[in-house]
Amino acid sequence: MSTSFQTIRGTFDILPDAYTDDGGTRIAPSAEWRHVEATVRDVMRRHNFDEIRTPILEPTELVARGVGESTDIVQKEMFAFERGDTQYVLRPEITAPVVRAYLQHHLDQRGGVQKLFYLGPCFRAEKPQKGRYRQFHQFGIEILGADEARADAETIAVLMAVCEALGLSDLKLRLNTLGTPERREEYVQALEEYLRPYANELSDTSRRRLERNPLRILDTKVEHEQKLLRDAPKLIDFVDEESLVHYDEVKGLLTDLDIEYEEAPRLVRGLDYYTETTFELESPGLGAQSALAGGGRYDRLAEVLGSDEPVPAVGFAAGMERLFLALDAADAERPGPPTPDVFIAALGDDAEQWVFRTSQELRNEGLHVAHDLMGRSLKAQMKEANRQKAPYAMIIGGNELEAEAATVKEMKSGEQEEVPFDELTPYLQRRLEGNASGGAPA
Ligand code: HAM
């Protein structure tokens, strides 16, 4: 079988089985995605976060204003299009959409601080490579309405709790403060003045950033630029006293929670909305795309999006694809694909009809039942039962229908038992329970 259609570059299918993509990256099976998602949901519940789901389509202006006109995302990575009078964008991230929803639905009126989490696809027209996709998946949180350092520390604690629950260790948390936008503006001017005379020595990317977003030059991986930055003005020298107190409090709380971090004075992040605390979580197994997650405070975003009152806020987002790379590198335990509780093989037309009906009845009782839909031979059906790793199989033919009893076979031991039709459900449930608890079957 074949088709000339393929997934678009930078996107991928999630299948029942794991497979390796063209770039040699293992794509996790859907069971592993469910496992990660269920773990995220469990950690969120324990930390008292409730879910928010926003559309994948948003107005382009929301992203342009929210994420910032001068960012790479808005300059060159948006999947944006026009229909009629409306400009649409496939969301490149979920923070601006969450703040839009908070303002649109007056979520502040629910009272107190809003603690929201999300899971879902995002889109960025980046150059695809290992750990970098055009459609990727984020999970994250946003805490809206809290300016306390405890909100910053809780944000980081939730991220670490998810990683720990998934069995990831050996992670590096990098932490910084950007201070207030006013002080940062002063710093950007000083940085620009310092770098201007060296403009000709800068890489194309940094020269472009010098014009549009000089702060991002701090992110450079180019060695001679890093050297140049050693004598550049320091962001921390421009941060005011109040911001420093806040930053110290965040660090103290993290220490209190036994969360290790490393100060990263040049960590500025690629989105414009950040103020005060910023952080990234790195995993050594990831290679070039080492950022597993990133986040920070964004106290001015609500006003940028039109709010007449400030909404202090902080959050993070993690990339699911990168999380899988880290899980693979750590060889973390994950569940295999689901297996049926029982496979029912049918011999003959009457048996097929009985199996089809009885399967539905057993499924209604909560059992995971597999059967053949191709009218195959008994041998082929039993082979299929093996392939699907069903712990039990039944063969139904004319004799069984007449006796109104099935022969239930335990696949591993080969042991067989006669079970009357009307006792099938409790029998199977009892046996499966015994298996699940590891005890001997009753
Ligand atoms: P971000 O750093 O742009 O932050 O993205 C967060 C995470 O998404 C990254 O650390 C990475 O794991 C993943 N990611 C980003 N781009 C790609 C890509 N092209 N392919 C695969 N994974 C990717 C944000 O999006 C902010 N909204 C985070 C935040 C939430 N800040 C405050 N609240």
Short mmCIF file of all heavy atoms in Angstrom, two decimals, residues 10 67 73 77 92-96 118 122-127 129-143 155 269-271 273-274 279-281 286 289-298 313-323, ligand 1:
data_model
loop_
_atom_site.label_atom_id
_atom_site.label_comp_id
_atom_site.label_asym_id
_atom_site.label_seq_id
_atom_site.Cartn_x
_atom_site.Cartn_y
_atom_site.Cartn_z
N GLY A 10 8.53 18.89 9.51
CA GLY A 10 8.43 19.54 10.82
C GLY A 10 7.18 19.15 11.59
O GLY A 10 6.92 19.70 12.65
N VAL A 67 3.54 38.60 22.13
CA VAL A 67 4.89 38.01 22.12
C VAL A 67 5.93 39.08 21.78
O VAL A 67 7.06 39.03 22.27
CB VAL A 67 4.93 36.82 21.12
CG1 VAL A 67 6.34 36.31 20.94
CG2 VAL A 67 4.02 35.71 21.60
N ILE A 73 9.81 34.90 16.70
CA ILE A 73 8.51 34.26 16.48
C ILE A 73 7.66 35.14 15.56
O ILE A 73 7.13 34.67 14.55
CB ILE A 73 7.78 34.01 17.81
CG1 ILE A 73 8.52 32.94 18.63
CG2 ILE A 73 6.32 33.61 17.59
CD1 ILE A 73 7.87 32.60 19.96
N GLU A 77 8.46 33.39 12.22
CA GLU A 77 8.05 32.02 12.50
C GLU A 77 6.53 31.80 12.60
O GLU A 77 6.09 30.73 12.95
CB GLU A 77 8.70 31.54 13.82
CG GLU A 77 10.21 31.45 13.70
CD GLU A 77 10.90 31.24 15.03
OE1 GLU A 77 10.21 31.12 16.07
OE2 GLU A 77 12.14 31.19 15.05
N PRO A 92 1.60 30.25 18.29
CA PRO A 92 2.98 29.78 18.46
C PRO A 92 3.29 29.47 19.92
O PRO A 92 4.32 28.86 20.22
CB PRO A 92 3.83 30.95 17.98
CG PRO A 92 2.97 32.15 18.22
CD PRO A 92 1.53 31.71 18.13
N GLU A 93 2.41 29.89 20.82
CA GLU A 93 2.59 29.65 22.25
C GLU A 93 1.23 29.90 22.90
O GLU A 93 0.28 30.32 22.23
CB GLU A 93 3.68 30.55 22.83
CG GLU A 93 3.43 32.04 22.67
CD GLU A 93 2.90 32.67 23.93
OE1 GLU A 93 3.52 32.48 24.98
OE2 GLU A 93 1.86 33.34 23.87
N ILE A 94 1.12 29.67 24.22
CA ILE A 94 -0.22 29.66 24.81
C ILE A 94 -0.38 30.71 25.92
O ILE A 94 -1.46 30.90 26.45
CB ILE A 94 -0.58 28.22 25.27
CG1 ILE A 94 -0.28 27.22 24.12
CG2 ILE A 94 -2.04 28.10 25.67
CD1 ILE A 94 -0.69 25.79 24.34
N THR A 95 0.69 31.43 26.26
CA THR A 95 0.58 32.42 27.34
C THR A 95 -0.31 33.60 26.93
O THR A 95 -1.23 33.97 27.68
CB THR A 95 1.98 32.93 27.74
OG1 THR A 95 2.79 31.79 28.05
CG2 THR A 95 1.92 33.85 28.95
N ALA A 96 -0.04 34.18 25.76
CA ALA A 96 -0.85 35.31 25.31
C ALA A 96 -2.33 34.90 25.16
O ALA A 96 -3.22 35.62 25.63
CB ALA A 96 -0.30 35.91 24.02
N TYR A 118 -2.43 24.00 30.82
CA TYR A 118 -2.86 23.65 29.47
C TYR A 118 -1.92 22.62 28.87
O TYR A 118 -0.78 22.43 29.33
CB TYR A 118 -2.90 24.89 28.57
CG TYR A 118 -1.65 25.74 28.63
CD1 TYR A 118 -0.49 25.38 27.93
CD2 TYR A 118 -1.62 26.89 29.41
CE1 TYR A 118 0.66 26.15 28.00
CE2 TYR A 118 -0.47 27.66 29.50
CZ TYR A 118 0.67 27.29 28.79
OH TYR A 118 1.82 28.05 28.86
N CYS A 122 1.29 23.69 19.31
CA CYS A 122 1.68 25.05 18.95
C CYS A 122 2.41 24.97 17.61
O CYS A 122 2.87 23.90 17.22
CB CYS A 122 2.65 25.62 19.99
SG CYS A 122 1.92 25.83 21.60
N PHE A 123 2.55 26.09 16.95
CA PHE A 123 3.09 26.10 15.59
C PHE A 123 4.12 27.20 15.42
O PHE A 123 3.83 28.36 15.73
CB PHE A 123 1.94 26.30 14.59
CG PHE A 123 0.84 25.28 14.75
CD1 PHE A 123 -0.14 25.45 15.73
CD2 PHE A 123 0.81 24.16 13.96
CE1 PHE A 123 -1.14 24.50 15.91
CE2 PHE A 123 -0.19 23.21 14.13
CZ PHE A 123 -1.16 23.38 15.10
N ARG A 124 5.30 26.84 14.97
CA ARG A 124 6.32 27.84 14.66
C ARG A 124 7.05 27.40 13.40
O ARG A 124 7.49 26.25 13.32
CB ARG A 124 7.33 27.99 15.81
CG ARG A 124 6.70 28.51 17.09
CD ARG A 124 7.74 28.74 18.19
NE ARG A 124 7.06 28.94 19.46
CZ ARG A 124 7.66 29.10 20.63
NH1 ARG A 124 8.99 29.08 20.68
NH2 ARG A 124 6.97 29.29 21.74
N ALA A 125 7.19 28.30 12.45
CA ALA A 125 7.85 27.96 11.18
C ALA A 125 9.36 28.03 11.36
O ALA A 125 10.04 28.86 10.75
CB ALA A 125 7.38 28.91 10.08
N GLU A 126 9.89 27.18 12.21
CA GLU A 126 11.33 27.13 12.44
C GLU A 126 11.94 26.09 11.51
O GLU A 126 11.23 25.27 10.93
CB GLU A 126 11.62 26.71 13.89
CG GLU A 126 11.15 27.73 14.90
CD GLU A 126 11.70 27.45 16.27
OE1 GLU A 126 12.87 27.82 16.49
OE2 GLU A 126 11.00 26.88 17.10
N LYS A 127 13.26 26.10 11.40
CA LYS A 127 13.93 25.08 10.60
C LYS A 127 13.88 23.77 11.37
O LYS A 127 14.45 23.67 12.45
CB LYS A 127 15.38 25.52 10.37
CG LYS A 127 16.06 24.77 9.27
CD LYS A 127 17.26 25.55 8.75
CE LYS A 127 18.17 24.59 8.01
NZ LYS A 127 19.41 24.28 8.71
N GLN A 129 14.55 20.31 13.00
CA GLN A 129 15.70 19.47 13.34
C GLN A 129 15.33 18.67 14.59
O GLN A 129 14.22 18.78 15.08
CB GLN A 129 16.95 20.32 13.57
CG GLN A 129 16.72 21.49 14.53
CD GLN A 129 17.94 22.36 14.66
OE1 GLN A 129 18.81 22.06 15.45
NE2 GLN A 129 18.00 23.44 13.89
N LYS A 130 16.27 17.88 15.08
CA LYS A 130 15.98 17.06 16.26
C LYS A 130 15.45 17.95 17.40
O LYS A 130 16.10 18.93 17.77
CB LYS A 130 17.28 16.37 16.71
CG LYS A 130 17.05 15.19 17.63
CD LYS A 130 18.39 14.56 17.99
CE LYS A 130 18.23 13.39 18.93
NZ LYS A 130 17.81 12.16 18.27
N GLY A 131 14.26 17.62 17.91
CA GLY A 131 13.72 18.40 19.02
C GLY A 131 13.14 19.75 18.62
O GLY A 131 12.73 20.52 19.47
N ARG A 132 13.14 20.02 17.32
CA ARG A 132 12.55 21.29 16.89
C ARG A 132 11.60 21.02 15.73
O ARG A 132 12.01 20.55 14.67
CB ARG A 132 13.64 22.27 16.46
CG ARG A 132 13.04 23.63 16.13
CD ARG A 132 14.05 24.53 15.53
NE ARG A 132 14.92 25.13 16.52
CZ ARG A 132 15.98 25.87 16.20
NH1 ARG A 132 16.30 26.07 14.94
NH2 ARG A 132 16.72 26.40 17.14
N TYR A 133 10.34 21.31 15.96
CA TYR A 133 9.30 20.98 14.98
C TYR A 133 8.53 22.23 14.59
O TYR A 133 8.65 23.28 15.22
CB TYR A 133 8.34 19.95 15.58
CG TYR A 133 9.01 18.62 15.81
CD1 TYR A 133 9.65 18.34 17.02
CD2 TYR A 133 9.05 17.67 14.81
CE1 TYR A 133 10.30 17.13 17.22
CE2 TYR A 133 9.69 16.46 15.00
CZ TYR A 133 10.31 16.20 16.21
OH TYR A 133 10.95 15.01 16.40
N ARG A 134 7.71 22.08 13.55
CA ARG A 134 6.84 23.19 13.15
C ARG A 134 5.49 23.07 13.85
O ARG A 134 4.85 24.06 14.14
CB ARG A 134 6.71 23.22 11.64
CG ARG A 134 8.05 23.56 11.02
CD ARG A 134 8.01 23.81 9.56
NE ARG A 134 9.11 24.70 9.22
CZ ARG A 134 9.31 25.20 8.03
NH1 ARG A 134 8.48 24.92 7.04
NH2 ARG A 134 10.32 26.00 7.81
N GLN A 135 5.04 21.84 14.06
CA GLN A 135 3.93 21.62 14.99
C GLN A 135 4.51 20.84 16.16
O GLN A 135 5.02 19.72 15.97
CB GLN A 135 2.78 20.83 14.37
CG GLN A 135 1.75 20.46 15.44
CD GLN A 135 0.44 19.90 14.92
OE1 GLN A 135 0.15 19.98 13.73
NE2 GLN A 135 -0.34 19.34 15.81
N PHE A 136 4.48 21.42 17.34
CA PHE A 136 4.98 20.74 18.52
C PHE A 136 3.93 20.87 19.62
O PHE A 136 2.89 21.51 19.42
CB PHE A 136 6.34 21.31 18.95
CG PHE A 136 6.31 22.78 19.27
CD1 PHE A 136 6.25 23.22 20.58
CD2 PHE A 136 6.33 23.73 18.26
CE1 PHE A 136 6.21 24.58 20.89
CE2 PHE A 136 6.29 25.09 18.55
CZ PHE A 136 6.22 25.52 19.87
N HIS A 137 4.20 20.26 20.75
CA HIS A 137 3.18 20.25 21.82
C HIS A 137 3.75 20.81 23.10
O HIS A 137 4.84 20.42 23.51
CB HIS A 137 2.67 18.82 22.03
CG HIS A 137 2.05 18.23 20.81
ND1 HIS A 137 2.81 17.76 19.75
CD2 HIS A 137 0.77 18.08 20.44
CE1 HIS A 137 2.00 17.33 18.79
NE2 HIS A 137 0.76 17.51 19.19
N GLN A 138 3.00 21.68 23.70
CA GLN A 138 3.43 22.23 25.00
C GLN A 138 2.46 21.82 26.10
O GLN A 138 1.27 21.63 25.85
CB GLN A 138 3.40 23.77 24.96
CG GLN A 138 4.54 24.41 24.20
CD GLN A 138 4.58 25.93 24.42
OE1 GLN A 138 3.61 26.53 24.88
NE2 GLN A 138 5.71 26.53 24.09
N PHE A 139 2.99 21.67 27.31
CA PHE A 139 2.12 21.77 28.48
C PHE A 139 2.71 22.87 29.33
O PHE A 139 3.92 23.13 29.29
CB PHE A 139 1.98 20.45 29.23
CG PHE A 139 3.21 20.03 29.99
CD1 PHE A 139 3.44 20.50 31.27
CD2 PHE A 139 4.13 19.17 29.42
CE1 PHE A 139 4.59 20.12 31.97
CE2 PHE A 139 5.26 18.80 30.10
CZ PHE A 139 5.50 19.27 31.38
N GLY A 140 1.85 23.52 30.10
CA GLY A 140 2.37 24.63 30.89
C GLY A 140 1.34 25.13 31.87
O GLY A 140 0.21 24.61 31.94
N ILE A 141 1.75 26.11 32.65
CA ILE A 141 0.83 26.71 33.62
C ILE A 141 0.96 28.22 33.56
O ILE A 141 1.99 28.75 33.13
CB ILE A 141 1.13 26.26 35.07
CG1 ILE A 141 2.48 26.81 35.57
CG2 ILE A 141 1.10 24.76 35.19
CD1 ILE A 141 2.73 26.59 37.05
N GLU A 142 -0.10 28.89 33.99
CA GLU A 142 -0.03 30.33 34.19
C GLU A 142 -0.73 30.62 35.53
O GLU A 142 -1.82 30.12 35.79
CB GLU A 142 -0.76 31.09 33.06
CG GLU A 142 -0.39 30.68 31.63
CD GLU A 142 1.06 30.91 31.23
OE1 GLU A 142 1.79 31.63 31.93
OE2 GLU A 142 1.49 30.33 30.20
N ILE A 143 -0.04 31.38 36.38
CA ILE A 143 -0.64 31.84 37.64
C ILE A 143 -0.92 33.33 37.47
O ILE A 143 0.01 34.12 37.29
CB ILE A 143 0.31 31.62 38.84
CG1 ILE A 143 0.70 30.14 38.95
CG2 ILE A 143 -0.33 32.11 40.13
CD1 ILE A 143 1.62 29.82 40.14
N THR A 155 5.61 28.04 40.53
CA THR A 155 5.67 27.75 39.09
C THR A 155 6.82 26.78 38.81
O THR A 155 6.64 25.75 38.13
CB THR A 155 5.88 29.05 38.29
OG1 THR A 155 4.77 29.91 38.54
CG2 THR A 155 5.98 28.79 36.80
N ARG A 269 15.57 34.95 27.35
CA ARG A 269 14.38 34.35 26.75
C ARG A 269 14.00 35.06 25.44
O ARG A 269 14.37 36.20 25.20
CB ARG A 269 13.19 34.37 27.71
CG ARG A 269 13.53 33.79 29.07
CD ARG A 269 13.19 32.35 29.23
NE ARG A 269 11.83 32.05 28.85
CZ ARG A 269 11.52 31.12 27.97
NH1 ARG A 269 12.44 30.41 27.38
NH2 ARG A 269 10.25 30.88 27.67
N GLY A 270 13.27 34.33 24.60
CA GLY A 270 12.99 34.82 23.25
C GLY A 270 11.65 35.53 23.07
O GLY A 270 11.25 35.81 21.97
N LEU A 271 10.94 35.76 24.18
CA LEU A 271 9.64 36.43 24.06
C LEU A 271 9.72 37.75 24.83
O LEU A 271 10.39 37.82 25.86
CB LEU A 271 8.52 35.54 24.62
CG LEU A 271 8.46 34.14 23.98
CD1 LEU A 271 9.12 33.11 24.86
CD2 LEU A 271 7.04 33.74 23.67
N TYR A 273 7.57 39.53 26.54
CA TYR A 273 6.70 39.95 27.65
C TYR A 273 7.28 39.77 29.04
O TYR A 273 6.67 40.16 30.02
CB TYR A 273 5.33 39.25 27.57
CG TYR A 273 5.30 37.77 27.31
CD1 TYR A 273 5.89 36.86 28.18
CD2 TYR A 273 4.62 37.27 26.19
CE1 TYR A 273 5.83 35.49 27.93
CE2 TYR A 273 4.56 35.90 25.95
CZ TYR A 273 5.16 35.03 26.81
OH TYR A 273 5.09 33.67 26.58
N TYR A 274 8.48 39.23 29.14
CA TYR A 274 8.98 38.92 30.49
C TYR A 274 9.41 40.14 31.29
O TYR A 274 9.92 41.12 30.75
CB TYR A 274 10.14 37.92 30.40
CG TYR A 274 9.67 36.55 29.96
CD1 TYR A 274 10.01 36.05 28.71
CD2 TYR A 274 8.86 35.79 30.79
CE1 TYR A 274 9.56 34.80 28.30
CE2 TYR A 274 8.41 34.54 30.38
CZ TYR A 274 8.76 34.06 29.14
OH TYR A 274 8.31 32.83 28.73
N PHE A 279 13.42 31.88 33.72
CA PHE A 279 14.15 30.63 33.95
C PHE A 279 14.02 29.70 32.75
O PHE A 279 13.10 29.84 31.93
CB PHE A 279 13.64 29.91 35.22
CG PHE A 279 12.17 29.59 35.17
CD1 PHE A 279 11.72 28.40 34.63
CD2 PHE A 279 11.24 30.50 35.67
CE1 PHE A 279 10.37 28.11 34.58
CE2 PHE A 279 9.88 30.21 35.61
CZ PHE A 279 9.45 29.02 35.07
N GLU A 280 14.97 28.79 32.66
CA GLU A 280 14.89 27.71 31.68
C GLU A 280 15.34 26.43 32.35
O GLU A 280 16.21 26.46 33.23
CB GLU A 280 15.77 28.00 30.46
CG GLU A 280 15.04 28.85 29.45
CD GLU A 280 15.78 29.10 28.14
OE1 GLU A 280 16.87 28.52 27.92
OE2 GLU A 280 15.26 29.89 27.35
N LEU A 281 14.75 25.33 31.91
CA LEU A 281 15.15 24.03 32.42
C LEU A 281 15.84 23.29 31.29
O LEU A 281 15.26 23.14 30.20
CB LEU A 281 13.93 23.25 32.90
CG LEU A 281 14.26 21.94 33.62
CD1 LEU A 281 15.00 22.21 34.92
CD2 LEU A 281 12.98 21.16 33.92
N LEU A 286 19.62 16.44 25.55
CA LEU A 286 18.93 17.03 24.41
C LEU A 286 19.83 17.59 23.32
O LEU A 286 19.35 17.94 22.26
CB LEU A 286 17.99 18.15 24.87
CG LEU A 286 16.80 17.71 25.71
CD1 LEU A 286 15.83 18.85 25.86
CD2 LEU A 286 16.10 16.54 25.05
N GLN A 289 19.12 21.39 21.14
CA GLN A 289 17.86 21.95 21.64
C GLN A 289 17.73 21.60 23.11
O GLN A 289 16.91 20.79 23.50
CB GLN A 289 16.67 21.38 20.87
CG GLN A 289 16.79 21.48 19.37
CD GLN A 289 16.97 22.91 18.93
OE1 GLN A 289 16.40 23.83 19.51
NE2 GLN A 289 17.79 23.12 17.93
N SER A 290 18.56 22.22 23.94
CA SER A 290 18.65 21.72 25.31
C SER A 290 17.53 22.22 26.21
O SER A 290 17.35 21.69 27.30
CB SER A 290 20.00 22.10 25.91
OG SER A 290 20.15 23.49 25.85
N ALA A 291 16.77 23.22 25.77
CA ALA A 291 15.72 23.75 26.65
C ALA A 291 14.48 22.86 26.64
O ALA A 291 13.79 22.73 25.64
CB ALA A 291 15.36 25.17 26.26
N LEU A 292 14.25 22.26 27.78
CA LEU A 292 13.08 21.41 27.97
C LEU A 292 11.87 22.29 28.25
O LEU A 292 10.75 22.00 27.84
CB LEU A 292 13.37 20.54 29.19
CG LEU A 292 12.64 19.26 29.39
CD1 LEU A 292 12.97 18.33 28.25
CD2 LEU A 292 13.09 18.63 30.71
N ALA A 293 12.10 23.37 28.96
CA ALA A 293 11.01 24.25 29.37
C ALA A 293 11.57 25.63 29.65
O ALA A 293 12.76 25.79 29.92
CB ALA A 293 10.34 23.71 30.63
N GLY A 294 10.68 26.62 29.60
CA GLY A 294 11.11 27.97 29.91
C GLY A 294 9.93 28.76 30.43
O GLY A 294 8.77 28.40 30.20
N GLY A 295 10.22 29.83 31.15
CA GLY A 295 9.12 30.64 31.65
C GLY A 295 9.61 31.81 32.45
O GLY A 295 10.80 32.14 32.43
N GLY A 296 8.67 32.41 33.17
CA GLY A 296 9.02 33.55 33.99
C GLY A 296 7.80 34.41 34.26
O GLY A 296 6.66 34.04 33.95
N ARG A 297 8.08 35.58 34.80
CA ARG A 297 7.05 36.53 35.17
C ARG A 297 6.74 37.43 33.98
O ARG A 297 7.64 37.72 33.17
CB ARG A 297 7.57 37.32 36.36
CG ARG A 297 6.53 37.99 37.17
CD ARG A 297 7.01 38.37 38.55
NE ARG A 297 6.43 37.46 39.53
CZ ARG A 297 5.13 37.37 39.81
NH1 ARG A 297 4.25 38.13 39.15
NH2 ARG A 297 4.69 36.53 40.71
N TYR A 298 5.51 37.84 33.85
CA TYR A 298 5.14 38.75 32.74
C TYR A 298 4.07 39.71 33.25
O TYR A 298 2.93 39.69 32.83
CB TYR A 298 4.71 37.94 31.50
CG TYR A 298 3.66 36.89 31.77
CD1 TYR A 298 2.31 37.15 31.60
CD2 TYR A 298 4.01 35.62 32.21
CE1 TYR A 298 1.34 36.19 31.86
CE2 TYR A 298 3.06 34.65 32.47
CZ TYR A 298 1.72 34.95 32.29
OH TYR A 298 0.77 34.00 32.56
N ALA A 313 1.64 38.19 36.81
CA ALA A 313 1.46 36.80 36.38
C ALA A 313 2.81 36.13 36.16
O ALA A 313 3.81 36.79 35.89
CB ALA A 313 0.65 36.76 35.09
N VAL A 314 2.79 34.80 36.27
CA VAL A 314 4.01 34.03 36.07
C VAL A 314 3.62 32.63 35.57
O VAL A 314 2.54 32.14 35.89
CB VAL A 314 4.83 33.96 37.39
CG1 VAL A 314 4.04 33.40 38.55
CG2 VAL A 314 6.14 33.18 37.21
N GLY A 315 4.49 32.01 34.76
CA GLY A 315 4.16 30.68 34.24
C GLY A 315 5.35 30.05 33.56
O GLY A 315 6.44 30.62 33.50
N PHE A 316 5.10 28.83 33.05
CA PHE A 316 6.13 28.16 32.25
C PHE A 316 5.44 27.35 31.17
O PHE A 316 4.24 27.06 31.27
CB PHE A 316 7.00 27.23 33.11
CG PHE A 316 6.36 25.88 33.41
CD1 PHE A 316 6.36 24.86 32.46
CD2 PHE A 316 5.75 25.65 34.62
CE1 PHE A 316 5.76 23.63 32.72
CE2 PHE A 316 5.14 24.41 34.89
CZ PHE A 316 5.14 23.41 33.94
N ALA A 317 6.19 26.97 30.15
CA ALA A 317 5.72 25.96 29.20
C ALA A 317 6.89 25.02 28.91
O ALA A 317 8.04 25.44 28.87
CB ALA A 317 5.22 26.60 27.91
N ALA A 318 6.55 23.74 28.75
CA ALA A 318 7.54 22.72 28.43
C ALA A 318 7.19 22.10 27.09
O ALA A 318 6.01 22.03 26.72
CB ALA A 318 7.57 21.64 29.51
N GLY A 319 8.20 21.67 26.35
CA GLY A 319 7.96 21.02 25.06
C GLY A 319 7.89 19.51 25.23
O GLY A 319 8.82 18.90 25.73
N MET A 320 6.76 18.95 24.81
CA MET A 320 6.56 17.50 25.00
C MET A 320 7.56 16.68 24.19
O MET A 320 8.07 15.66 24.66
CB MET A 320 5.15 17.10 24.55
CG MET A 320 4.05 17.84 25.26
SD MET A 320 3.48 16.93 26.71
CE MET A 320 2.37 15.80 25.95
N GLU A 321 7.86 17.12 22.95
CA GLU A 321 8.80 16.35 22.11
C GLU A 321 10.16 16.28 22.78
O GLU A 321 10.84 15.26 22.76
CB GLU A 321 8.93 17.00 20.73
CG GLU A 321 7.69 16.86 19.84
CD GLU A 321 6.54 17.77 20.25
OE1 GLU A 321 6.76 18.66 21.11
OE2 GLU A 321 5.43 17.59 19.73
N ARG A 322 10.57 17.41 23.37
CA ARG A 322 11.88 17.44 24.05
C ARG A 322 11.84 16.61 25.32
O ARG A 322 12.82 15.99 25.71
CB ARG A 322 12.27 18.88 24.35
CG ARG A 322 12.43 19.63 23.03
CD ARG A 322 13.16 20.91 23.18
NE ARG A 322 13.05 21.64 21.92
CZ ARG A 322 13.33 22.90 21.78
NH1 ARG A 322 13.76 23.59 22.83
NH2 ARG A 322 13.21 23.48 20.61
N LEU A 323 10.67 16.59 25.95
CA LEU A 323 10.51 15.75 27.13
C LEU A 323 10.72 14.28 26.76
O LEU A 323 11.40 13.54 27.48
CB LEU A 323 9.09 15.96 27.67
CG LEU A 323 8.85 15.61 29.10
CD1 LEU A 323 9.59 16.58 30.01
CD2 LEU A 323 7.36 15.69 29.40
P1 HAM B 1 9.28 29.05 24.87
O1 HAM B 1 10.60 29.00 25.53
O2 HAM B 1 9.18 29.76 23.57
O3 HAM B 1 8.30 29.69 25.92
O4 HAM B 1 8.73 27.58 24.66
C1 HAM B 1 8.63 26.69 25.76
C2 HAM B 1 9.14 25.32 25.38
O5 HAM B 1 8.46 24.85 24.20
C3 HAM B 1 10.60 25.26 25.00
O6 HAM B 1 11.43 25.17 26.14
C4 HAM B 1 10.66 23.99 24.17
O7 HAM B 1 10.74 22.85 25.00
C5 HAM B 1 9.32 23.99 23.48
N1 HAM B 1 9.45 24.47 22.09
C6 HAM B 1 9.47 25.74 21.65
N2 HAM B 1 9.61 25.77 20.32
C7 HAM B 1 9.66 24.49 19.89
C8 HAM B 1 9.77 23.85 18.62
N3 HAM B 1 9.83 24.54 17.48
N4 HAM B 1 9.80 22.49 18.58
C9 HAM B 1 9.72 21.77 19.72
N5 HAM B 1 9.60 22.31 20.94
C10 HAM B 1 9.57 23.65 21.03
C11 HAM B 1 6.95 29.88 25.72
O8 HAM B 1 6.34 29.42 24.80
C12 HAM B 1 6.28 30.65 26.83
N6 HAM B 1 4.84 30.78 26.50
C13 HAM B 1 6.48 29.97 28.16
C14 HAM B 1 5.79 30.68 29.30
C15 HAM B 1 4.63 30.33 29.86
N7 HAM B 1 6.20 31.79 29.87
C16 HAM B 1 5.34 32.14 30.81
N8 HAM B 1 4.35 31.28 30.80
#
